[in-house]
Amino acid sequence: MDAVIENLPTFLEGFRMTLLLLVVSGISALILGTIIAAMRISPVGSLRAFATVYTELVRNTPLTLVLLFCAIILPYLGSRLDYVTAAMIGLAVYTSPFVAEALRSGINGVPLGQAEAARSVGLGFGQTVSLVIMPQAFRMTIPPLINVFIALTKNTSVAGGFFVFELFAATREIANANGNAVIAILMAAATLYLVITVPLGILAGRLERKWVVQR
Amino acid sequence: MTHSSVLFDAPGPKARRLSVVSSILTGVVIVGGLAWMVWTLAQPRESGGITLPGFFDPSRWDIFADPEVWQFIIFEGVVGTLRAAFTAAVFAIALGVLFSLLRSSERAWIRVPTTVVLEFLRGMPVLLMMLFILLVLNTGSFWAVVMALSLYNGAIIGEALRAGLASLPRGQREAGLSLGMRPLQSKMLVEFPQAFRQMLPIIVAQLVVLLKDTSLGFIVGYTELLRVTMNNLASFYGNRYLFSLFVVALALYLIMNLSLSWFARWLSKRTASKSSGARLDPDNPNQAILMAEASAAARQSETQHGSM
């Protein structure tokens, strides 16, 4: 326990970086993912094809490879980004197809009959989308999106393997320096991750139970 | 909502022409962007007064003509990755069965601690788990990778199987019990085979995640594909092959993962046509698990109504 208390500032520094990575790359992934999802359901064929290929390729690439590209290949190609920015870009790119899929599944999850019913009572395109489809799609989208952000929280740890000093890197450093208190140190790190992921998970579960079953 | 045509009238000739034109225009922009990237990479670059050839110059790819390099990549890298993934997959499925049994137990003193452990396993990064096992159990990097991946994916497969069990008609269990089976026998012989089959697409989709995550072995020092190409080969043949080695490693990962993903999708299509139930989306395990649970809840309330 002493080792944990002694190294609390280092832990908190790492935790702060984890939160920063989560927030910045989470928001960027949300923006990028929304664009991809919009391309995916757009009437323009080439945009749809591009978004599909992008989703398939990025989703099947290991995150380690993406972050290795950002940390080692990009500087080699001549980029001058610092490691933290590069890791944020990598995490955002990796997360964006998952965001896009969550958004798309929300829109796809609204039964066809809803749109037909709306049209049959005389609503126009704008009214159908804004009054009938979107409210339902939104309710179905929030819980899977939260799950994407939980995964992102855990994924930030991979950046710790590539020169970013976040919670995983901090833990590894402290554990290497205090070989006799490894379990306490790792438990402290796990607790800090759970502080983010468990409340998000409970929130997602609650919203899901409240919203999805109604169909 | 896959047929967006329900939202508006069928497009007329003008709207269709507009759609074709914008399709071609964006296609040109996308192809142009990719061509620009390729062209930029192909340019020779200055570094410290020396002009290096572009990235598509043969001198940056010539090591791949050497069969020894391929032998190294395939026999050390790909085999290392597949070995870890396969071992972890077997353990993860076994653990999944065990976790789903414990978690759906009728005794609270088994169910509650299992739930806590599962939440813990699911909320922790796999990488931290690998470090934990590496430092505490001192197992060596192969078993650190395998054990962490088994525990994490076992927790998720367990949840999927539990949802699958819950969505089975209650009569299945009752029929088993009425034949004189013990509860565990009915679970293993009657319910699990069905739940497993229903959840198979999701389990395979989770195995894609497992396969992808073996690359975390790069960080904890396990010799798999990424480590073989990026560390061993790049340091042996020199940095100028860094880019080409990365491209080869990426292509190999994509081949492995995409084929497994397509297999999962094919499975889910196949199972969907046989059973009358809704198709579970293997791309979205959380949603699929939830759908199974929801249908279980719906079925339960139905039978309760029926018996009244």
Side-chain angles (χ1 to χ4, degrees), chain A residues 46 59-60 64-65 76 154, chain B residues 23 26 122 212 215 257 261:
Chain A
S46 55
R59 220 178 29 185
N60 284 290
T64 326
L65 226 72
Y76 176 64
K154 295 186 283 179
Chain B
S23 197
T26 49
R122 291 203 303 165
K212 268 172 34 167
S215 67
N257 294 334
S261 294

Side-chain angles (χ1 to χ4, degrees), chain A residues 44-46 56 59-62 64-65 68-69 76-77 94 107 110 116 119 154 157 186 194 197 208, chain B residues 1 6 9 23 26-27 45 55 60 120 122-123 132 152 212 215 226 239-240 257-258 261 265 290:
Chain A
V44 181
S46 55
E56 279 296 289
R59 220 178 29 185
N60 284 290
T61 307
T64 326
L65 226 72
L68 181 131
F69 182 83
Y76 176 64
L77 294 179
Y94 180 78
I107 296 170
V110 180
E116 285 170 346
R119 291 254 298 154
K154 295 186 283 179
S157 65
L186 290 173
L194 293 176
T197 54
E208 261 166 347
Chain B
M1 294 289 308
V6 188
D9 293 313
S23 197
T26 49
R45 53 196 64 227
F55 285 102
R60 291 207 186 247
F120 180 77
R122 291 203 303 165
F132 197 124
Y152 177 73
K212 268 172 34 167
S215 67
L226 196 54
N239 257 354
R240 67 207 200 107
N257 294 334
L258 279 172
S261 294
R265 220 163 291 166
L290 228 101

Side-chain angles (χ1 to χ4, degrees), chain B residues 8-305:
Chain B
F8 41 80
D9 293 313
K14 212 168 159 189
R16 251 178 291 160
R17 207 178 320 129
L18 194 71
S19 156
V20 169
V21 168
S22 50
S23 197
I24 291 171
L25 270 181
T26 49
V28 166
V29 170
I30 290 166
V31 170
L34 292 176
W36 175 80
M37 265 167 63
V38 169
W39 185 79
T40 317
L41 285 176
Q43 287 316 101
R45 53 196 64 227
E46 303 264 337
S47 124
I50 313 160
T51 313
L52 291 168
F55 285 102
F56 299 103
D57 193 81
S59 72
R60 291 207 186 247
W61 296 83
D62 52 9
I63 52 167
F64 295 110
D66 186 354
E68 240 175 76
V69 170
W70 283 106
Q71 259 174 25
F72 198 56
I73 291 177
I74 302 293
F75 289 120
E76 295 243 332
V78 174
V79 168
T81 289
L82 290 178
R83 198 163 63 108
F86 185 76
T87 322
V90 172
F91 281 120
I93 291 172
L95 271 177
V97 171
L98 183 70
F99 281 148
S100 66
L101 274 181
L102 293 178
R103 219 193 130 182
S104 56
S105 159
E106 272 154 29
R107 296 188 186 88
W109 61 270
I110 299 178
R111 196 176 58 234
V112 174
T114 316
T115 314
V116 173
V117 169
L118 287 185
E119 281 301 315
F120 180 77
L121 289 179
R122 291 203 303 165
M124 213 169 114
V126 189
L127 193 55
L128 195 68
M129 242 187 272
M130 286 181 190
L131 184 72
F132 197 124
I133 294 166
L134 197 64
L135 293 179
V136 175
L137 302 180
N138 217 347
T139 52
S141 52
F142 173 73
W143 286 106
V145 170
V146 167
M147 283 165 78
L149 287 176
S150 313
L151 282 172
Y152 177 73
N153 293 288
I156 290 172
I157 291 175
E159 285 294 282
L161 283 175
R162 191 175 63 95
L165 284 178
S167 71
L168 287 178
R170 264 206 328 204
Q172 295 292 330
R173 180 180 177 74
E174 285 162 0
L177 294 178
S178 75
L179 285 175
M181 288 183 176
R182 268 168 279 131
L184 189 64
Q185 260 182 323
S186 137
K187 208 152 235 165
M188 297 311 273
L189 297 175
V190 178
E191 294 168 61
F192 254 121
Q194 300 183 55
F196 198 79
R197 191 166 157 199
Q198 198 199 348
M199 284 293 164
L200 198 57
I202 291 168
I203 293 173
V204 177
Q206 195 56 39
L207 296 184
V208 179
V209 175
L210 193 158
L211 184 56
K212 268 172 34 167
D213 281 354
T214 53
S215 67
L216 291 173
F218 176 78
I219 297 170
V220 294
Y222 172 57
T223 317
E224 41 70 72
L225 180 53
L226 196 54
R227 198 165 188 86
V228 164
T229 46
M230 287 291 108
N231 277 15
N232 302 358
L233 284 176
S235 55
F236 185 75
Y237 286 99
N239 257 354
R240 67 207 200 107
Y241 296 108
L242 213 52
F243 180 75
S244 41
L245 282 168
F246 180 83
V247 171
V248 168
L250 177 65
L252 286 171
Y253 268 111
L254 283 177
I255 290 170
M256 290 192 285
N257 294 334
L258 279 172
S259 31
L260 202 54
S261 294
W262 279 327
F263 180 58
R265 220 163 291 166
W266 175 80
L267 264 182
S268 94
K269 250 180 225 143
R270 225 186 74 135
T271 44
S273 62
K274 285 206 176 142
S275 66
S276 55
R279 185 186 149 200
L280 296 176
D281 181 9
D283 292 339
N284 211 335
N286 275 312
Q287 200 76 354
I289 291 171
L290 228 101
M291 264 171 65
E293 275 174 350
S295 83
R299 192 168 283 152
Q300 213 143 41
S301 66
E302 229 167 68
T303 48
Q304 271 162 11
H305 273 286

Side-chain angles (χ1 to χ4, degrees), chain A residues 4-189:
Chain A
V4 174
I5 294 165
E6 261 169 47
N7 290 300
L8 210 55
T10 321
F11 265 125
L12 290 181
E13 197 191 328
F15 188 59
R16 199 185 55 84
M17 180 55 88
T18 291
L19 280 178
L20 186 70
L21 284 174
L22 171 64
V23 170
V24 176
S25 51
I27 292 172
S28 325
L30 202 59
I31 296 168
L32 204 58
T34 312
I35 296 172
I36 297 294
M39 283 164 86
R40 199 91 199 255
I41 56 172
S42 79
V44 181
S46 55
L47 283 182
R48 252 194 337 255
F50 177 78
T52 311
V53 172
Y54 174 87
T55 309
E56 279 296 289
L57 290 187
V58 177
R59 220 178 29 185
N60 284 290
T61 307
L63 176 62
T64 326
L65 226 72
V66 176
L67 288 182
L68 181 131
F69 182 83
C70 293
I72 294 171
I73 307 289
L74 268 186
Y76 176 64
L77 294 179
S79 107
R80 300 244 161 84
L81 295 172
D82 63 313
Y83 290 127
V84 176
T85 320
M88 282 169 179
I89 295 172
L91 283 168
V93 167
Y94 180 78
T95 313
S96 61
F98 295 95
V99 171
E101 286 298 275
L103 290 174
R104 201 170 67 101
S105 81
I107 296 170
N108 278 337
V110 180
L112 214 57
Q114 295 286 328
E116 285 170 346
R119 291 254 298 154
S120 75
V121 294
L123 298 186
F125 173 71
Q127 281 170 314
T128 309
V129 170
S130 65
L131 296 176
V132 179
I133 309 291
M134 269 328 197
Q136 298 186 56
F138 180 75
R139 308 180 66 154
M140 298 184 65
T141 303
I142 296 296
L145 266 186
I146 295 177
N147 285 328
V148 170
F149 291 128
I150 293 174
L152 175 60
T153 312
K154 295 186 283 179
N155 283 339
T156 55
S157 65
V158 183
F162 295 101
F163 320 121
V164 177
F165 194 78
E166 49 64 77
L167 190 47
F168 173 76
T171 311
R172 187 155 73 170
E173 196 186 281
I174 299 169
N176 283 339
N178 302 278
N180 51 346
V182 172
I183 294 185
I185 290 163
L186 290 173
M187 280 299 162

